[in-house]
Amino acid sequence: MYLSSVARGCFVFKPSPKKRRVSQKTVNDFGERKDDSEDTELRFVTCQSLWHEIKSETEQIQEDLNKQLFDNLVSFLRRSHSEFQEKTTKWTCQMKSREIPTAALVLGVNVTDHDLTFRSLSEVLQNNVTPYIALLEAKDCPGIKNLMQKLMGQLMNCYIDVESLEDEDYVQVSQNRIRCSMTSLINWYESVTKKTDSETLSKKRTSSSRHWQSPPVVVIFKDMESFTTKVLQDFIVISSQHIRELPLVLIFGIATSPMIIHSLLPHSVSSLLCIELFQSLSCKEHLSTIIDKLLLTTQFPFKLGEKVLQVLINIFLYHDFSVQNFIKGFQLSVVEHFYSQPLSVLCCQLVDAKKRVDSLSHDQCENIRRLPSFRRYVESQASEKQIALLTADNFLKETIQKLLEDLHVYHENYVSVLRCLHVFTSSLPKYPLGKQIRELHCACLENRVWETEEYESSLQLARMLNKSDLVTLLQQCVEIFVSSSGKEFGKTVEKLKEFLTQFQTLEEAFQERDVSVSSQKELQKTTDLYHLQKTLLELKESRRSKKLTKFEMLRFEVVDYIDSLVRNYLVPADHKTLHEIVYFNSASILRAHLNAAPRIALHTALNNPYCYLKNQALKSDGGSISNKAPDICIVYKLHLECGRLINLVDWLEAFSTVVMAAEGSKADAASSDQVDDTIHARFIRAVSELELLGFIKPSKQKTDHVARLTWGGC
Amino acid sequence: MSQPEGKGSGALEVKFVPDEEVLKHIADDAGVKVRKDKTQLTVSVKRFVKKLENISDDEAQEILEEKNYVAALGICAQDPVGNGSSVSGGEVYSFQTPKCSSKMAELASALAQTPGQSVAPECPEKTAKTPQSSKRSSSNKVQQRSKKKEFVSTTPYRLRKRLAAPDPYLESESEYSASCSEEEDEEDQKEVSAVGRKTPAKTKAASMPPPRNTLAKKIKEDKMSNLVEEYFEAHSSSKVLTSDRTLQKLQKRRLNQQTLHDLLKKAPLAYAAEIKELNQQHESLFSKWMLQLHLGFNILLYGLGSKRDLLEKFRTSVLQDSVHLVVNGYFPSITVRSILNSITEEVLDHIGTFRSPLDQLEFVIKRFKEDSSLELYVLIHNLDSQMLRGERSQQILAQLSSLPSIYLIASIDHINAPLMWDQAKLSLYNWLWYETTTFSPYVEETSYENSLLVQQSGSLALSSLTHVLRSLTLNARGIFRLLAQYQLENKDNPSYPGLSFQDFYQQCREAFLVNSDLTLRAQLTEFRDHKLIRTKRGTDGVEYLLIPVDDSTLTDFLEKEDEDV
């Protein structure tokens, strides 16, 4: 308790230098709970390497996705100051040159992802266009002065970076805080460009060859919406005055819609900008790509269970639209899986896993025998084999290797067939199985998809597809299977190709259809009501009785074939033996850590302390608490009975009534106005705790009253 | 107009419809089965994710259903403690229903009468009884009327006139009840306060119509708008239905901090065993926390009960061998600056000052980025405290915590604490939330607080009064005494403005304490500098002097002075 002081709030502890922990500690943290020491290290290493792989993959994906956008931006930047480059003096150019070239970058509402985008953007620009980039954020720029300061600081620092810190005097300049004004900025720019000019002449440095002689100065406003309009306006007006000396380009990062520029800036200011719009890729597409590349692939051995995936997707769709957070959740599930599942040591590439199986300890073998899915497997085996599995470690290891291979093959096949099914379902009207492949994936993981109503109806819809659609879908499926890594699909591809050729030969059956067309024509001729009715009835009859056309037969065949593929390969993962090794399934943990509900926790603790304190005296039925509950619960419960203001005296009396009754002692003796000191003190404590929790606050409206800050809740 | 019966009767209207369409209509018949399925589907596709996907296309499905939402998020909600994480928001904190004053006592006695057993408060009945919920706008009127009825026989003319203009009356009532001593009104006062306590009960009986029941039957939207109205109704009137009793009337001496502390120490902690068990559960997570801290997450603890001891245990058991910083967020004068200072000065051994916290932050970030061997654990008790909850402080702390070699573990208590953070800050913090309900009392956290019931300000003021006055001249003490006595004489007058300067000067002169008003003014400046008195200008421009200390303290002070003399 020596950490409480009335003079200080911060305490620093520094251990003696030799006692400091070395960096291998993380491994220790990993396994302190379990005692199988040799595996924990391996598990930790596997976890780390897997995570690093995943991380670099996601970064790669993001880069690829942004490539198009960045290319457009770079070409825009190149174009924007071509006049400045050529130093033309035409009249039109001069007129135009008052306008600042501006790129409005619409990024979407997922603000958390923007940072990464901007970072890679500035990297790209730095490599391709200009070394002079300033990234500004609204929170750093409450006034134009701060903005200029920040801007110049960043620009001059980057100059130093480029020159690899060779001239000391510039470092001095930036530290001396030269007056922040546009003129000094221009002077700086002139001196810099002159210098690089001369340097390129003399040294022919590689860095300058990438940039041109007078590279533009790029100013990026990361969050344009949160800037003060005044600051933005001033900056634009001032810099437009100097645009001819300083080739400035602005980039606005916009989260909402491009209209915001015009609502933020008056016409007189926005007319100084020459705006071009750039749209970044939507976060939903980004997520689909991530899911595609991380989950629907055999590249990574780790898999997410259905509920976990559902939780992550729901957090994404309902809370933030942030891909970064999705990846964070993914990381957490990786860590949790490797931390909590001792068998996750086998969650690695198949080749390694087989080796690791050989070196499994006896304890680990026991762990495997305890897995529910493995038990199911054992029960399905013959009795002598059962005994062997349960007693002989070596036999068990062999079986495990086989099972792991099965699991791997299952994943390979699963992905291809899932994609194939998705090709079909995503073309159906109303998307009974969902539009995105992730929904289909969830549905397939959840339970046998072919038993669901949605699947039934989508098959029915698929049986009504027209020929051209069906052919294109089949072609897509063939492509998927050909490119897939599964080995079993040779036959499938053949079969699908056969279907395709059959469709081609179906052309001959064209005459047959001609007949029906003619009958329809006949129908259109009749205008008489009676005849119409008759022919229609006939038509209906004939339809019912008529044999299916060849095309329809074929269509049924195709759909049935797809159905058989689904039944074969899209078995839910938790029906597979040893799925526990690679699937992470504890969604509740993930949810508790990422999407917590602190108010609900408080509410439960106050209303129903029995949830936490397992004491029989506290047990009660819904909506009420026992009078033996902790003080704060009683005080809370009493305060719920009050309106906006609470009289402290009444409250105190009510409290003491309850407490004394609960204690059951001198309830009658002290029934007068006098309240026991201890009870008084307990009441004071409980009330100030409620104040700390934010349920009440002192009020000056009436003496000895407090105001309630929450509503309702009985 | 058209054929509502369906396809069969379509032929009757054939003269209005071109043949092709009829044909199409019938040719489609083959698809009817499927279509039926489809319609069924749209009903049965309540599956959540799907619905979301449709949002962009389908406006109609935009309405989110809270229950579905909770159900979807709460799948497999097998919490370790088994608490109801599926409680929906509406159940937790709905809008307030105005309640009458006696309700609390009723519940208390109900709880008391059945020792060991629990009493379920019957919600619907109770709310139906409350007087204000009888009607949205007319509730006040109802009350007024019933009050008037009572007054007709007994109240004098003066009061009735006041009643005719309800609003000023309402405002003035609370003022009266606070003081209860105006001589001329004394009788009426008693009436008012008595009636004030009685009326709720009476109206309860009189205005029974329970709109609640009908309300419950109404459709959702209606309920929503009603809730809003209820809220504004509850907050529109300044009328407060509480009794007028004060602590002073209770004849209960106020406890000071020390006695409070002693008393609480003597009182046994309830359910110590269970609390210990809870704590042990949380302590088993320490190694996991360390792991997750090292992997770039930051840990946030929430839940009822002080988490200080838990964090302290974490610190002593795990962090002994590493550099760490403990921040008592509940400390009343903690600032971000002091946190940054202790990092730069004590952790980084930097001497020198910074122009702004932002500069300082930049420096810290730079240092930590340059030197990868630097590591710092930061423990913040009550990240949501009064001093740290500001936007700027949170921004700085968030940026600090986003550094890969700074590991932050913090606790929050306030129910609205998560509102401090927007998405940007949340992503900087990169929290992992941990529920650590401990049920242990907030001893340290509340010890700084100026609690309502603790006689803290009083004792402090008294000691400061005596201290300051002891260093003054005898005359100055006399001057202050005069003022204090005058104020005490007028303590029953609620509209006592203070002693006017002229009168005060006169009195001081008579007591031979000053000889000119200049000396008095000099003396008063001295008092004012020590915040012993306050001056304010009245409506007539006269300067009035007041001692901003409550009466009991002042009495104590005078008694003490008398003893000394």
Side-chain angles (χ1 to χ4, degrees), chain A residues 5 11 310 438 523 591 593 612 627-628 650 704 711, chain B residues 23 49 53 73 94 111 243 245 247 271 435 448:
Chain A
S5 148
F11 306 88
Q310 198 81 277
R438 56 166 186 261
L523 189 85
R591 203 186 151 227
H593 292 337
Y612 296 92
N627 54 13
K628 290 201 177 68
D650 290 352
D704 289 332
W711 304 315
Chain B
L23 175 70
V49 183
E53 278 312 309
L73 273 180
S94 58
L111 277 174
S243 68
R245 299 196 292 165
L247 286 171
Y271 305 109
E435 181 181 340
Y448 290 109

PDB file of all heavy atoms in Angstrom, chain A residues 5 11 310 438 523 591 593 612 627-628 650 704 711, chain B residues 23 49 53 73 94 111 243 245 247 271 435 448:
ATOM      1  N   SER A   5      -0.198   7.814  -2.281  1.00  0.00           N
ATOM      2  CA  SER A   5       0.479   9.006  -1.801  1.00  0.00           C
ATOM      3  C   SER A   5      -0.419  10.186  -2.066  1.00  0.00           C
ATOM      4  O   SER A   5      -1.247  10.141  -2.977  1.00  0.00           O
ATOM      5  CB  SER A   5       1.808   9.162  -2.536  1.00  0.00           C
ATOM      6  OG  SER A   5       2.136  10.506  -2.698  1.00  0.00           O
ATOM      7  N   PHE A  11       4.503   6.321 -10.292  1.00  0.00           N
ATOM      8  CA  PHE A  11       5.640   5.697  -9.623  1.00  0.00           C
ATOM      9  C   PHE A  11       6.404   4.853 -10.622  1.00  0.00           C
ATOM     10  O   PHE A  11       5.824   4.013 -11.300  1.00  0.00           O
ATOM     11  CB  PHE A  11       5.162   4.818  -8.473  1.00  0.00           C
ATOM     12  CG  PHE A  11       4.288   5.549  -7.511  1.00  0.00           C
ATOM     13  CD1 PHE A  11       2.921   5.622  -7.709  1.00  0.00           C
ATOM     14  CD2 PHE A  11       4.845   6.194  -6.415  1.00  0.00           C
ATOM     15  CE1 PHE A  11       2.119   6.308  -6.837  1.00  0.00           C
ATOM     16  CE2 PHE A  11       4.029   6.880  -5.533  1.00  0.00           C
ATOM     17  CZ  PHE A  11       2.676   6.940  -5.740  1.00  0.00           C
ATOM     18  N   GLN A 310     -17.915 -16.401 -37.522  1.00  0.00           N
ATOM     19  CA  GLN A 310     -19.144 -15.624 -37.449  1.00  0.00           C
ATOM     20  C   GLN A 310     -18.958 -14.408 -36.543  1.00  0.00           C
ATOM     21  O   GLN A 310     -19.363 -13.305 -36.887  1.00  0.00           O
ATOM     22  CB  GLN A 310     -20.238 -16.527 -36.876  1.00  0.00           C
ATOM     23  CG  GLN A 310     -21.624 -16.055 -37.109  1.00  0.00           C
ATOM     24  CD  GLN A 310     -22.087 -16.429 -38.493  1.00  0.00           C
ATOM     25  OE1 GLN A 310     -21.797 -15.732 -39.448  1.00  0.00           O
ATOM     26  NE2 GLN A 310     -22.777 -17.540 -38.617  1.00  0.00           N
ATOM     27  N   ARG A 438     -18.022 -16.287 -48.045  1.00  0.00           N
ATOM     28  CA  ARG A 438     -17.840 -16.501 -46.618  1.00  0.00           C
ATOM     29  C   ARG A 438     -19.121 -17.001 -45.951  1.00  0.00           C
ATOM     30  O   ARG A 438     -19.060 -17.783 -45.007  1.00  0.00           O
ATOM     31  CB  ARG A 438     -17.349 -15.232 -45.933  1.00  0.00           C
ATOM     32  CG  ARG A 438     -18.217 -14.041 -46.132  1.00  0.00           C
ATOM     33  CD  ARG A 438     -17.860 -12.937 -45.158  1.00  0.00           C
ATOM     34  NE  ARG A 438     -18.809 -11.863 -45.271  1.00  0.00           N
ATOM     35  CZ  ARG A 438     -18.597 -10.754 -45.957  1.00  0.00           C
ATOM     36  NH1 ARG A 438     -17.457 -10.577 -46.554  1.00  0.00           N
ATOM     37  NH2 ARG A 438     -19.509  -9.819 -46.035  1.00  0.00           N
ATOM     38  N   LEU A 523     -51.074 -20.038 -80.149  1.00  0.00           N
ATOM     39  CA  LEU A 523     -51.780 -19.504 -78.992  1.00  0.00           C
ATOM     40  C   LEU A 523     -51.989 -18.007 -79.118  1.00  0.00           C
ATOM     41  O   LEU A 523     -53.048 -17.469 -78.818  1.00  0.00           O
ATOM     42  CB  LEU A 523     -50.954 -19.797 -77.743  1.00  0.00           C
ATOM     43  CG  LEU A 523     -51.599 -19.520 -76.410  1.00  0.00           C
ATOM     44  CD1 LEU A 523     -52.417 -20.729 -76.010  1.00  0.00           C
ATOM     45  CD2 LEU A 523     -50.531 -19.251 -75.387  1.00  0.00           C
ATOM     46  N   ARG A 591     -15.012 -13.308 -28.268  1.00  0.00           N
ATOM     47  CA  ARG A 591     -16.003 -12.258 -28.122  1.00  0.00           C
ATOM     48  C   ARG A 591     -15.776 -11.477 -26.842  1.00  0.00           C
ATOM     49  O   ARG A 591     -15.874 -10.254 -26.816  1.00  0.00           O
ATOM     50  CB  ARG A 591     -17.390 -12.867 -28.104  1.00  0.00           C
ATOM     51  CG  ARG A 591     -18.398 -11.865 -28.508  1.00  0.00           C
ATOM     52  CD  ARG A 591     -19.783 -12.352 -28.384  1.00  0.00           C
ATOM     53  NE  ARG A 591     -20.572 -11.174 -28.114  1.00  0.00           N
ATOM     54  CZ  ARG A 591     -21.477 -11.102 -27.172  1.00  0.00           C
ATOM     55  NH1 ARG A 591     -21.710 -12.142 -26.412  1.00  0.00           N
ATOM     56  NH2 ARG A 591     -22.126  -9.996 -26.980  1.00  0.00           N
ATOM     57  N   HIS A 593     -13.067 -10.884 -25.352  1.00  0.00           N
ATOM     58  CA  HIS A 593     -11.885 -10.032 -25.366  1.00  0.00           C
ATOM     59  C   HIS A 593     -11.968  -8.904 -26.389  1.00  0.00           C
ATOM     60  O   HIS A 593     -11.360  -7.865 -26.215  1.00  0.00           O
ATOM     61  CB  HIS A 593     -10.645 -10.865 -25.656  1.00  0.00           C
ATOM     62  CG  HIS A 593     -10.320 -11.811 -24.547  1.00  0.00           C
ATOM     63  ND1 HIS A 593     -10.745 -11.592 -23.266  1.00  0.00           N
ATOM     64  CD2 HIS A 593      -9.634 -12.960 -24.517  1.00  0.00           C
ATOM     65  CE1 HIS A 593     -10.341 -12.570 -22.498  1.00  0.00           C
ATOM     66  NE2 HIS A 593      -9.676 -13.427 -23.227  1.00  0.00           N
ATOM     67  N   TYR A 612     -21.234 -14.233  -9.467  1.00  0.00           N
ATOM     68  CA  TYR A 612     -19.796 -14.183  -9.215  1.00  0.00           C
ATOM     69  C   TYR A 612     -19.433 -14.805  -7.870  1.00  0.00           C
ATOM     70  O   TYR A 612     -18.458 -15.524  -7.763  1.00  0.00           O
ATOM     71  CB  TYR A 612     -19.310 -12.735  -9.252  1.00  0.00           C
ATOM     72  CG  TYR A 612     -19.482 -12.100 -10.593  1.00  0.00           C
ATOM     73  CD1 TYR A 612     -20.629 -11.391 -10.912  1.00  0.00           C
ATOM     74  CD2 TYR A 612     -18.508 -12.237 -11.573  1.00  0.00           C
ATOM     75  CE1 TYR A 612     -20.796 -10.837 -12.156  1.00  0.00           C
ATOM     76  CE2 TYR A 612     -18.663 -11.686 -12.814  1.00  0.00           C
ATOM     77  CZ  TYR A 612     -19.804 -10.977 -13.103  1.00  0.00           C
ATOM     78  OH  TYR A 612     -19.968 -10.438 -14.333  1.00  0.00           O
ATOM     79  N   ASN A 627     -31.251  -9.915   0.782  1.00  0.00           N
ATOM     80  CA  ASN A 627     -30.818  -8.780   1.592  1.00  0.00           C
ATOM     81  C   ASN A 627     -29.469  -9.016   2.245  1.00  0.00           C
ATOM     82  O   ASN A 627     -28.976  -8.188   2.990  1.00  0.00           O
ATOM     83  CB  ASN A 627     -31.882  -8.416   2.636  1.00  0.00           C
ATOM     84  CG  ASN A 627     -32.255  -9.605   3.471  1.00  0.00           C
ATOM     85  OD1 ASN A 627     -31.552 -10.633   3.444  1.00  0.00           O
ATOM     86  ND2 ASN A 627     -33.343  -9.489   4.191  1.00  0.00           N
ATOM     87  N   LYS A 628     -28.867 -10.152   1.936  1.00  0.00           N
ATOM     88  CA  LYS A 628     -27.527 -10.391   2.457  1.00  0.00           C
ATOM     89  C   LYS A 628     -26.467 -10.031   1.423  1.00  0.00           C
ATOM     90  O   LYS A 628     -25.293 -10.286   1.627  1.00  0.00           O
ATOM     91  CB  LYS A 628     -27.382 -11.853   2.856  1.00  0.00           C
ATOM     92  CG  LYS A 628     -28.187 -12.215   4.086  1.00  0.00           C
ATOM     93  CD  LYS A 628     -27.628 -13.475   4.724  1.00  0.00           C
ATOM     94  CE  LYS A 628     -28.366 -13.815   5.993  1.00  0.00           C
ATOM     95  NZ  LYS A 628     -29.759 -14.222   5.748  1.00  0.00           N
ATOM     96  N   ASP A 650     -33.221   9.369   3.328  1.00  0.00           N
ATOM     97  CA  ASP A 650     -34.102   8.234   3.056  1.00  0.00           C
ATOM     98  C   ASP A 650     -33.298   7.014   2.660  1.00  0.00           C
ATOM     99  O   ASP A 650     -33.566   5.887   3.081  1.00  0.00           O
ATOM    100  CB  ASP A 650     -35.061   8.592   1.923  1.00  0.00           C
ATOM    101  CG  ASP A 650     -36.084   9.615   2.361  1.00  0.00           C
ATOM    102  OD1 ASP A 650     -36.106   9.896   3.568  1.00  0.00           O
ATOM    103  OD2 ASP A 650     -36.828  10.128   1.511  1.00  0.00           O
ATOM    104  N   ASP A 704     -28.632  17.727   0.594  1.00  0.00           N
ATOM    105  CA  ASP A 704     -28.501  16.309   0.877  1.00  0.00           C
ATOM    106  C   ASP A 704     -29.198  15.430  -0.153  1.00  0.00           C
ATOM    107  O   ASP A 704     -29.873  14.465   0.181  1.00  0.00           O
ATOM    108  CB  ASP A 704     -29.050  15.992   2.270  1.00  0.00           C
ATOM    109  CG  ASP A 704     -28.134  16.535   3.337  1.00  0.00           C
ATOM    110  OD1 ASP A 704     -26.923  16.634   3.048  1.00  0.00           O
ATOM    111  OD2 ASP A 704     -28.610  16.871   4.421  1.00  0.00           O
ATOM    112  N   TRP A 711     -30.881   5.580 -16.216  1.00  0.00           N
ATOM    113  CA  TRP A 711     -32.333   5.511 -16.289  1.00  0.00           C
ATOM    114  C   TRP A 711     -32.798   4.108 -16.012  1.00  0.00           C
ATOM    115  O   TRP A 711     -32.160   3.135 -16.364  1.00  0.00           O
ATOM    116  CB  TRP A 711     -32.804   5.897 -17.688  1.00  0.00           C
ATOM    117  CG  TRP A 711     -32.332   7.230 -18.092  1.00  0.00           C
ATOM    118  CD1 TRP A 711     -32.340   8.362 -17.357  1.00  0.00           C
ATOM    119  CD2 TRP A 711     -31.748   7.545 -19.346  1.00  0.00           C
ATOM    120  NE1 TRP A 711     -31.816   9.384 -18.086  1.00  0.00           N
ATOM    121  CE2 TRP A 711     -31.442   8.913 -19.303  1.00  0.00           C
ATOM    122  CE3 TRP A 711     -31.479   6.840 -20.497  1.00  0.00           C
ATOM    123  CZ2 TRP A 711     -30.876   9.570 -20.367  1.00  0.00           C
ATOM    124  CZ3 TRP A 711     -30.920   7.493 -21.548  1.00  0.00           C
ATOM    125  CH2 TRP A 711     -30.617   8.843 -21.487  1.00  0.00           C
TER     126      TRP A 711
ATOM    127  N   LEU B  23     -50.545 -15.398 -70.983  1.00  0.00           N
ATOM    128  CA  LEU B  23     -49.750 -16.576 -71.274  1.00  0.00           C
ATOM    129  C   LEU B  23     -48.574 -16.664 -70.318  1.00  0.00           C
ATOM    130  O   LEU B  23     -48.310 -17.709 -69.706  1.00  0.00           O
ATOM    131  CB  LEU B  23     -49.244 -16.494 -72.715  1.00  0.00           C
ATOM    132  CG  LEU B  23     -48.295 -17.616 -73.086  1.00  0.00           C
ATOM    133  CD1 LEU B  23     -49.060 -18.925 -73.178  1.00  0.00           C
ATOM    134  CD2 LEU B  23     -47.602 -17.315 -74.388  1.00  0.00           C
ATOM    135  N   VAL B  49     -26.037 -13.100 -40.993  1.00  0.00           N
ATOM    136  CA  VAL B  49     -25.035 -12.592 -41.908  1.00  0.00           C
ATOM    137  C   VAL B  49     -25.670 -12.284 -43.236  1.00  0.00           C
ATOM    138  O   VAL B  49     -25.396 -11.274 -43.868  1.00  0.00           O
ATOM    139  CB  VAL B  49     -23.950 -13.643 -42.074  1.00  0.00           C
ATOM    140  CG1 VAL B  49     -22.867 -13.124 -42.945  1.00  0.00           C
ATOM    141  CG2 VAL B  49     -23.411 -14.029 -40.741  1.00  0.00           C
ATOM    142  N   GLU B  53     -25.810  -8.873 -45.634  1.00  0.00           N
ATOM    143  CA  GLU B  53     -25.391  -8.774 -47.016  1.00  0.00           C
ATOM    144  C   GLU B  53     -26.456  -8.084 -47.822  1.00  0.00           C
ATOM    145  O   GLU B  53     -26.173  -7.339 -48.739  1.00  0.00           O
ATOM    146  CB  GLU B  53     -25.152 -10.181 -47.583  1.00  0.00           C
ATOM    147  CG  GLU B  53     -23.814 -10.721 -47.231  1.00  0.00           C
ATOM    148  CD  GLU B  53     -22.730  -9.711 -47.514  1.00  0.00           C
ATOM    149  OE1 GLU B  53     -22.667  -9.158 -48.629  1.00  0.00           O
ATOM    150  OE2 GLU B  53     -21.961  -9.447 -46.599  1.00  0.00           O
ATOM    151  N   LEU B  73     -24.275 -12.582 -31.850  1.00  0.00           N
ATOM    152  CA  LEU B  73     -22.983 -12.285 -31.236  1.00  0.00           C
ATOM    153  C   LEU B  73     -22.746 -13.158 -30.024  1.00  0.00           C
ATOM    154  O   LEU B  73     -21.634 -13.435 -29.655  1.00  0.00           O
ATOM    155  CB  LEU B  73     -22.923 -10.814 -30.831  1.00  0.00           C
ATOM    156  CG  LEU B  73     -22.461  -9.884 -31.928  1.00  0.00           C
ATOM    157  CD1 LEU B  73     -22.450  -8.470 -31.413  1.00  0.00           C
ATOM    158  CD2 LEU B  73     -21.100 -10.256 -32.436  1.00  0.00           C
ATOM    159  N   SER B  94     -32.936   1.081 -19.407  1.00  0.00           N
ATOM    160  CA  SER B  94     -33.989   1.674 -20.201  1.00  0.00           C
ATOM    161  C   SER B  94     -34.198   3.086 -19.687  1.00  0.00           C
ATOM    162  O   SER B  94     -33.488   3.563 -18.822  1.00  0.00           O
ATOM    163  CB  SER B  94     -35.259   0.859 -20.056  1.00  0.00           C
ATOM    164  OG  SER B  94     -35.608   0.819 -18.691  1.00  0.00           O
ATOM    165  N   LEU B 111     -37.553  -5.885   1.742  1.00  0.00           N
ATOM    166  CA  LEU B 111     -36.324  -6.676   1.830  1.00  0.00           C
ATOM    167  C   LEU B 111     -36.048  -7.078   3.276  1.00  0.00           C
ATOM    168  O   LEU B 111     -35.550  -8.149   3.554  1.00  0.00           O
ATOM    169  CB  LEU B 111     -35.137  -5.868   1.302  1.00  0.00           C
ATOM    170  CG  LEU B 111     -34.939  -5.875  -0.207  1.00  0.00           C
ATOM    171  CD1 LEU B 111     -33.831  -4.919  -0.580  1.00  0.00           C
ATOM    172  CD2 LEU B 111     -34.614  -7.266  -0.698  1.00  0.00           C
ATOM    173  N   SER B 243     -38.544  13.468  -0.386  1.00  0.00           N
ATOM    174  CA  SER B 243     -38.837  14.065   0.900  1.00  0.00           C
ATOM    175  C   SER B 243     -37.792  15.128   1.207  1.00  0.00           C
ATOM    176  O   SER B 243     -36.742  15.190   0.588  1.00  0.00           O
ATOM    177  CB  SER B 243     -38.830  12.992   1.977  1.00  0.00           C
ATOM    178  OG  SER B 243     -37.519  12.527   2.138  1.00  0.00           O
ATOM    179  N   ARG B 245     -36.175  15.734   4.014  1.00  0.00           N
ATOM    180  CA  ARG B 245     -35.353  15.531   5.200  1.00  0.00           C
ATOM    181  C   ARG B 245     -33.890  15.760   4.866  1.00  0.00           C
ATOM    182  O   ARG B 245     -33.437  15.468   3.772  1.00  0.00           O
ATOM    183  CB  ARG B 245     -35.558  14.111   5.710  1.00  0.00           C
ATOM    184  CG  ARG B 245     -37.018  13.903   6.098  1.00  0.00           C
ATOM    185  CD  ARG B 245     -37.178  12.709   6.935  1.00  0.00           C
ATOM    186  NE  ARG B 245     -36.907  11.495   6.197  1.00  0.00           N
ATOM    187  CZ  ARG B 245     -36.715  10.344   6.801  1.00  0.00           C
ATOM    188  NH1 ARG B 245     -36.709  10.270   8.114  1.00  0.00           N
ATOM    189  NH2 ARG B 245     -36.501   9.255   6.096  1.00  0.00           N
ATOM    190  N   LEU B 247     -29.733  15.660   6.395  1.00  0.00           N
ATOM    191  CA  LEU B 247     -28.883  14.926   7.320  1.00  0.00           C
ATOM    192  C   LEU B 247     -28.757  15.639   8.652  1.00  0.00           C
ATOM    193  O   LEU B 247     -28.558  15.025   9.688  1.00  0.00           O
ATOM    194  CB  LEU B 247     -27.502  14.725   6.713  1.00  0.00           C
ATOM    195  CG  LEU B 247     -27.431  13.683   5.607  1.00  0.00           C
ATOM    196  CD1 LEU B 247     -26.096  13.722   4.938  1.00  0.00           C
ATOM    197  CD2 LEU B 247     -27.718  12.304   6.154  1.00  0.00           C
ATOM    198  N   TYR B 271     -18.276 -11.955   2.480  1.00  0.00           N
ATOM    199  CA  TYR B 271     -17.944 -12.928   1.443  1.00  0.00           C
ATOM    200  C   TYR B 271     -16.473 -12.944   1.085  1.00  0.00           C
ATOM    201  O   TYR B 271     -16.098 -12.962  -0.085  1.00  0.00           O
ATOM    202  CB  TYR B 271     -18.776 -12.659   0.191  1.00  0.00           C
ATOM    203  CG  TYR B 271     -20.248 -12.640   0.477  1.00  0.00           C
ATOM    204  CD1 TYR B 271     -20.958 -11.456   0.443  1.00  0.00           C
ATOM    205  CD2 TYR B 271     -20.901 -13.805   0.839  1.00  0.00           C
ATOM    206  CE1 TYR B 271     -22.305 -11.436   0.751  1.00  0.00           C
ATOM    207  CE2 TYR B 271     -22.241 -13.800   1.143  1.00  0.00           C
ATOM    208  CZ  TYR B 271     -22.941 -12.619   1.106  1.00  0.00           C
ATOM    209  OH  TYR B 271     -24.252 -12.600   1.406  1.00  0.00           O
ATOM    210  N   GLU B 435     -12.751  -9.333 -18.246  1.00  0.00           N
ATOM    211  CA  GLU B 435     -13.665  -9.039 -17.161  1.00  0.00           C
ATOM    212  C   GLU B 435     -13.065  -9.563 -15.867  1.00  0.00           C
ATOM    213  O   GLU B 435     -12.841 -10.757 -15.710  1.00  0.00           O
ATOM    214  CB  GLU B 435     -15.020  -9.683 -17.389  1.00  0.00           C
ATOM    215  CG  GLU B 435     -15.947  -9.339 -16.250  1.00  0.00           C
ATOM    216  CD  GLU B 435     -17.308  -9.945 -16.386  1.00  0.00           C
ATOM    217  OE1 GLU B 435     -17.688 -10.315 -17.487  1.00  0.00           O
ATOM    218  OE2 GLU B 435     -17.984 -10.033 -15.348  1.00  0.00           O
ATOM    219  N   TYR B 448      -9.845   9.712  -2.097  1.00  0.00           N
ATOM    220  CA  TYR B 448      -9.566  11.099  -2.436  1.00  0.00           C
ATOM    221  C   TYR B 448     -10.837  11.887  -2.683  1.00  0.00           C
ATOM    222  O   TYR B 448     -10.824  13.093  -2.727  1.00  0.00           O
ATOM    223  CB  TYR B 448      -8.725  11.168  -3.710  1.00  0.00           C
ATOM    224  CG  TYR B 448      -7.323  10.670  -3.524  1.00  0.00           C
ATOM    225  CD1 TYR B 448      -6.925   9.476  -4.090  1.00  0.00           C
ATOM    226  CD2 TYR B 448      -6.397  11.410  -2.811  1.00  0.00           C
ATOM    227  CE1 TYR B 448      -5.630   9.023  -3.944  1.00  0.00           C
ATOM    228  CE2 TYR B 448      -5.109  10.967  -2.659  1.00  0.00           C
ATOM    229  CZ  TYR B 448      -4.725   9.767  -3.212  1.00  0.00           C
ATOM    230  OH  TYR B 448      -3.457   9.333  -3.073  1.00  0.00           O
TER     231      TYR B 448
END
